Amino acid sequence: MKNKSAFFDRYINKTINKALDRHICIGITGLSRSGKTTLITSLINQLCQYDTAKLAGFPPIQADRLLGVKLHPLDNLPMFPYAAGYQKITAAQPEWPDSTSEISGCLIELRLKKSHKSLVGKDNYSLFIELRDYPGEWLLDLPLRGMSFVRWCGLCSAQYLHSPRLELLGSLLDEFKQLDPFAPVDKEKLQALNEQYKQFLSRCKNDEKSLSLIQPGRFLIPGKLPDADIVNFIPLLACIGREESELEQASEHSYYKVCKRRYQRYIKELVEPFYSDFFSGIDRQLVLVDVISALHSGPAYLDDMRQALTNITQSFSYGNQSRLRQLFSPKVDRLIFAATKIDLVLSKEHEAVRQLLSAVVRSAYKHARSDGISPICEAVAAVRASNESSRIDNALEILTPEGKRLGYVPPVMPSKLPDEKDWQALQGWVLPELSPPRGLSNNSNTALPHIRLDTLLNELIGDKCP
């Protein structure tokens, strides 16, 4: 009874703070390997260590109006592992935080001084910032909502006929093509094909070059499942060219009916609850994009990223509305795309990366713009892991994961979608893997080094800090 009462009190306080425009829910999403966990860790760190953080672009710091910061848990969610991530980054042998494999969250309370003396009420107030973290792979399942099993099979078939998926799928493609959807299901064979399919999806993600549009996402990072069958289905490529009415005549124990039922369960029991729990209450959306790695991988990978971003942003509900309507039926009133890991290029190229990101996500803009939202593009490094060389022109000094210091000369970044000439200029580009900088102490109160997180903070919450 006591727990219920405490939960009710927190709900009432949250509702009051939202009505006063002092509680904001920020959705931080990103495709796999975009650095989402590192960015959330660094954002929390910059705010908690605001006395030493370099946040010149965040007005409450410049005006000396931030009085204190506290972290609180979110109801019914494990606490975001900030301490574990910070310790990894600042260890003697530093590492990046573990990628997200489960849902977590936190509530950041900023204690602020009003910019003007108030005639009524107190001069100090709290702004609550709600952050939730989840595997990026789960995000890619959102477009499956409302998509039939047959249509999904058709999309898979179209993808698998082109490089690099054609090569990554290998002989499994012929097995999928030859599998008769009307045949009685062989449970052992389906299980074996499902395992091979998961291995293919893993190659799509973990190959030397990583694709973005990988579905179903929970085949790679399942999280908590009601049972194993919910992720035990495959695309039936032999369905292509057949009428759905014909396929519906198949036996209830056929490959078609069994895979269709499991696909529908997957959406109903995993995708829909994830969407309603995490996206129905979001006020602002930050989408992280590792556009530099996609550019390095080549045209097919950059196009794959463009398609993935277009698909997922169409799943959000956008619009500017009154505070009362936002309280009961929230919509995303600000959409920000951020290119991550810009410490991989020279500072004079940062603007080109931002412009390239704008071109990459242009088709993803359309849905938001039609609802009156003008998306914003930024370029950031959550933890700066390079410095410009004082010895070599146009070079960066970096630290590899093995602890070796290298001089690295990055190419000139295109500020638009690359044409044939741009792609030729990028040939032979070797993109290094960075390690967090050494010498950061987790016993100090020093904030992590970053690039433009202050500007990002201002875009996210600056207008909520009057």
Side-chain angles (χ1 to χ4, degrees):
M1 194 72 178
K2 186 177 179 181
N3 288 338
K4 286 184 178 180
S5 176
F7 175 83
F8 182 74
D9 288 345
R10 289 193 295 270
Y11 174 78
I12 292 297
N13 287 334
K14 176 179 176 178
T15 303
I16 292 171
N17 283 317
K18 284 186 76 71
L20 294 172
D21 208 19
R22 293 179 181 174
H23 185 116
I24 183 169
C25 182
I26 297 176
I28 301 181
T29 65
L31 303 178
S32 179
R33 295 185 171 183
S34 62
K36 180 161 57 69
T37 305
T38 301
L39 184 130
I40 295 174
T41 301
S42 187
L43 274 181
I44 294 172
N45 173 258
Q46 305 306 323
L47 291 171
C48 288
Q49 307 298 341
Y50 64 92
D51 283 335
T52 58
K54 295 181 179 179
L55 298 174
F58 187 45
I61 297 292
Q62 282 295 85
D64 199 27
R65 294 194 296 109
L66 184 55
L67 305 176
V69 178
K70 291 181 181 179
L71 290 184
H72 305 283
L74 283 175
D75 288 321
N76 304 321
L77 282 183
M79 188 71 171
F80 175 79
Y82 165 68
Y86 179 72
Q87 287 169 7
K88 279 206 163 197
I89 294 169
T90 58
Q93 302 292 328
E95 299 177 76
W96 298 114
D98 295 333
S99 24
T100 307
S101 60
E102 265 296 353
I103 292 172
S104 65
C106 69
L107 187 68
I108 308 173
E109 179 185 359
L110 304 186
R111 192 65 185 164
L112 294 159
K113 181 166 57 177
K114 291 181 179 178
S115 56
H116 302 287
K117 285 280 185 181
S118 177
L119 297 177
V120 180
K122 299 179 180 179
D123 291 328
N124 302 334
Y125 69 97
S126 289
L127 174 66
F128 295 91
I129 305 164
E130 188 174 330
L131 299 179
R132 295 170 183 251
D133 188 31
Y134 52 86
E137 286 79 0
W138 297 7
L139 183 67
L140 291 162
D141 285 338
L142 296 186
L144 298 180
R145 298 167 58 243
M147 184 183 296
S148 71
F149 176 65
V150 172
R151 186 182 169 206
W152 176 67
C153 291
L155 290 177
C156 290
S157 179
Q159 288 181 336
Y160 300 163
L161 296 177
H162 302 284
S163 296
R165 287 180 176 85
L166 179 63
E167 292 78 15
L168 292 170
L169 199 57
S171 61
L172 189 58
L173 178 60
D174 287 333
E175 291 194 60
F176 279 177
K177 284 181 176 180
Q178 293 166 12
L179 190 65
D180 182 1
F182 292 91
V185 68
D186 179 329
K187 293 183 179 180
E188 290 185 1
K189 183 175 183 179
L190 178 58
Q191 180 68 49
L193 289 173
N194 177 257
E195 289 301 322
Q196 292 178 64
Y197 185 53
K198 290 174 182 175
Q199 291 168 16
F200 155 70
L201 294 176
S202 180
R203 291 193 294 273
C204 288
K205 175 187 173 183
N206 299 313
D207 199 39
E208 183 180 350
K209 299 176 180 179
S210 179
L211 287 160
S212 299
L213 189 52
I214 303 172
Q215 295 169 328
R218 293 215 188 205
F219 278 31
L220 292 178
I221 300 183
K224 295 177 182 177
L225 300 175
D227 57 69
D229 278 350
I230 203 167
V231 290
N232 186 14
F233 60 89
I234 58 173
L236 299 175
L237 305 189
C239 288
I240 310 310
R242 297 177 184 267
E243 293 291 334
E244 195 160 349
S245 58
E246 177 190 359
L247 291 165
E248 288 301 320
Q249 301 303 312
S251 160
E252 292 300 313
H253 303 290
S254 65
Y255 279 102
Y256 171 73
K257 286 291 182 67
V258 170
C259 286
K260 177 188 171 184
R261 283 197 299 271
R262 291 176 180 179
Y263 171 84
Q264 290 174 332
R265 275 195 67 205
Y266 183 91
I267 294 171
K268 181 180 180 181
E269 298 180 31
L270 297 180
V271 182
E272 289 288 1
F274 172 60
Y275 178 79
S276 61
D277 291 346
F278 272 77
F279 293 99
S280 60
I282 285 176
D283 301 303
R284 291 186 175 172
Q285 186 69 55
L286 171 61
V287 182
L288 306 181
V289 186
D290 185 4
V291 69
I292 294 174
S293 294
L295 181 70
H296 169 259
S297 297
Y301 294 84
L302 192 63
D303 285 344
D304 193 66
M305 172 179 280
R306 290 174 66 198
Q307 186 60 57
L309 289 167
T310 299
N311 289 354
I312 61 176
T313 53
Q314 288 176 347
S315 300
F316 305 137
S317 179
Y318 303 99
N320 285 308
Q321 54 187 9
S322 69
R323 192 178 299 174
L324 183 63
R325 289 182 64 86
Q326 188 71 5
L327 180 63
F328 295 104
S329 181
K331 291 185 177 182
V332 174
D333 65 8
R334 187 166 295 186
L335 174 63
I336 303 169
F337 294 93
T340 56
K341 308 177 186 178
I342 60 165
D343 48 347
L344 283 164
V345 301
L346 297 167
S347 58
K348 65 182 181 180
E349 301 292 333
H350 291 176
E351 179 59 21
V353 173
R354 195 175 72 86
Q355 293 297 331
L356 173 61
L357 173 65
S358 178
V360 167
V361 301
R362 190 159 294 143
S363 59
Y365 278 179
K366 293 180 181 177
H367 182 51
R369 277 187 171 154
S370 67
D371 289 324
I373 300 298
S374 296
I376 299 163
C377 285
E378 262 302 337
V380 303
V383 178
R384 182 170 192 157
S386 72
N387 290 292
E388 301 204 6
S389 175
S390 58
R391 298 173 297 158
I392 308 171
D393 289 341
N394 296 320
L396 297 172
E397 292 181 356
I398 66 170
L399 184 71
T400 68
E402 297 75 30
K404 185 178 180 182
R405 295 194 177 276
L406 294 177
Y408 160 63
V409 180
V412 174
M413 293 285 105
S415 59
K416 56 179 177 52
L417 292 177
D419 54 25
E420 186 176 348
K421 184 178 178 182
D422 293 322
W423 286 119
Q424 288 176 352
L426 294 171
Q427 286 184 358
W429 173 22
V430 178
L431 189 66
E433 184 179 354
L434 300 184
S435 171
R438 299 198 176 197
L440 301 173
S441 171
N442 59 19
N443 295 318
S444 74
N445 292 323
T446 303
L448 297 170
H450 67 88
I451 299 175
R452 294 179 64 81
L453 283 192
D454 52 340
T455 304
L456 186 62
L457 271 171
N458 192 45
E459 296 287 5
L460 286 169
I461 61 171
D463 62 319
K464 303 293 182 181
C465 306

